[in-house]
Amino acid sequence: MNSKKITHILLAAALAASLLAAASCSRANERIVEDSRFFMGTVVQIKVSIDPAKYSEARAKDAISKAFDEINRIEDVYSVYKDTSEISRINRLRKNERLQISDGVFNLVHKTLDYSERTSGAFDITVKPLVDLWERAKRTNKLPDEHEFKRALERVGYKNVALDETVRTIHFKKDGISIDLGGAAKGYATDRAIFILEENGIDNAIVNSGGDMYCLGKRTARELWKVGVQHPRDRNRLFLEIGLQDRAIDTSGDYERYFVIGGKRYSHIIDPRTGYPIGDSAVSASVIAADSTTADILATAMCVLGEKGFGIIKESGGIDAVLVMFEAGRLTAKMSEGIRKRYDISEEKL
Ligand code: FAD
Ligand code: MG
C-alpha cells in the first residue's frame, strides 16, 4: 500500500471517529428517566428525556411522581368502578335531577357529546347499560335474552344527557340513563399527565396509558419518540412503528379485552346504535391527533364506524388514522390520505 493511500485511510478513520465522538457527545447529554404504575385497570408508563446538566434526575423523578398523582386523582373522579367517584354520583341521578360538576368532568362530557353528534352516535358515553349487559354475558358465558337486550338498548342515547353551561350542572332527561367515560378518560389522563410534566419544566417525554400515548418533544436532540403498534392478532409482534413529536396516538381494538361465547369473538366496544359488540367493521384503529383525549375518542369511534370513519378523520383536519380490518378473510390495514408524507412510518406485513 503506498503512503498516500495510507494517509487517506487514516484521514477517513479520523473523520469517522470524530463524527462518532460528536454523535456520542450529543447523545450522552440526554438521559431517560422512567417509571410505571398500575392505574385504570392498566399499566401507565412515563419516560422523560433530560439533560442532567440542566435538569437533575431527582427533579425528573419528582415530576413523574406528580404526573402519577394526577392520574390517580383522575381515576378517583372518573372511574365507574368506584362508588365514590363523581361519575358514579352522576349515575345515581334520577330524571331531571341536577348535579353541579367539576370543570374537568363538565368539559370532558361536553367534548364527548360533541363527538357523539359528529359520529352520528357511534361514540356514545351513555352506552353503559349495554357495556354492563355484555360484561354480564362474559361472566356468565351466556348471551343476553331479548327482553334484557331491549331494556338496555332503551336506556342508551346521548341526547338524554344535558349540560347547563352557566351553572355547570348535568342532568338526564330520562330515568335509567348512565355514563361511562372508559372510551375517552384514559386519553384525558394521558393529556393531564403531560400537562403536569410540562408544568414541572419537562420538554421531552412520553406517557403511555395502556395504548393511549402522547409524545412530547423528542427522545434525543436528533431522534423522535418511536411508537410501536401491536399486531392485532399476535401480541409479540409490532405491525407499525411511527416516529412522533408533540402528537398523541391512541389504539382501540378487539384484541385486549374480548370474550368468546359459542366460538364467536365479542369485543368490549359496542355499537350503541345496534346494541351489539362491533363485528367486522374493525379489528383495531389507531388515531394520531394533537391531543390524546381526541385520539382516544376517535379510535373507539373508528372501531364502530370502520372505513366510514375516515370521512370524520378527514373533516377533523390534522388527524390521521390506521384501521385494521378483515377484507376477503384477510387482515388488511387502511390508512388516512397523506399519513406517510406526514410521519415516518415503518410497516410489517399483517
Ligand atoms: P376504548 O376503545 O378506548 O374504550 C372502550 C370502552 O369505552 C369500553 O370498555 C366501554 O367502557 C366504552 N365504550 C364501548 N363502546 C363505546 C362506544 N361506542 N362509545 C363510547 N364508549 C364506548 N378497568 C378495570 O378492569 N378495572 C378498573 O378498575 C378500571 N378503572 C378505570 C378507571 C378509569 C378512569 C378509566 C378511564 C378506565 C378504567 N378501566 C378499568 C378500563 C375501562 O373499563 C375500559 O376497559 C378501558 O377504558 C377501555 O379502554 P381501551 O383503550 O381498551 O378501549
Ligand atoms: Mg377510546
Side-chain angles (χ1 to χ4, degrees), residues 40-41 75 78-79 81 122-124 127 131 180 182-183 185-186 212 251-252 257 268-270 272 296 300 304:
M40 305 177 289
E75 179 166 4
Y78 292 80
S79 178
Y81 295 82
F123 187 89
D124 187 338
V127 76
V131 172
D180 175 357
K186 276 201 302 178
D212 293 346
T251 300
S252 284
R257 291 174 180 245
H268 70 307
I269 300 171
I270 317 283
D296 192 5
T300 308
V304 178

Side-chain angles (χ1 to χ4, degrees), residues 21 69 153 188 201 203 216 247 267 296 314 328:
D69 288 347
L153 194 56
Y188 175 67
D203 300 322
L216 174 71
R247 277 282 172 285
S267 169
D296 192 5
K314 200 169 173 181

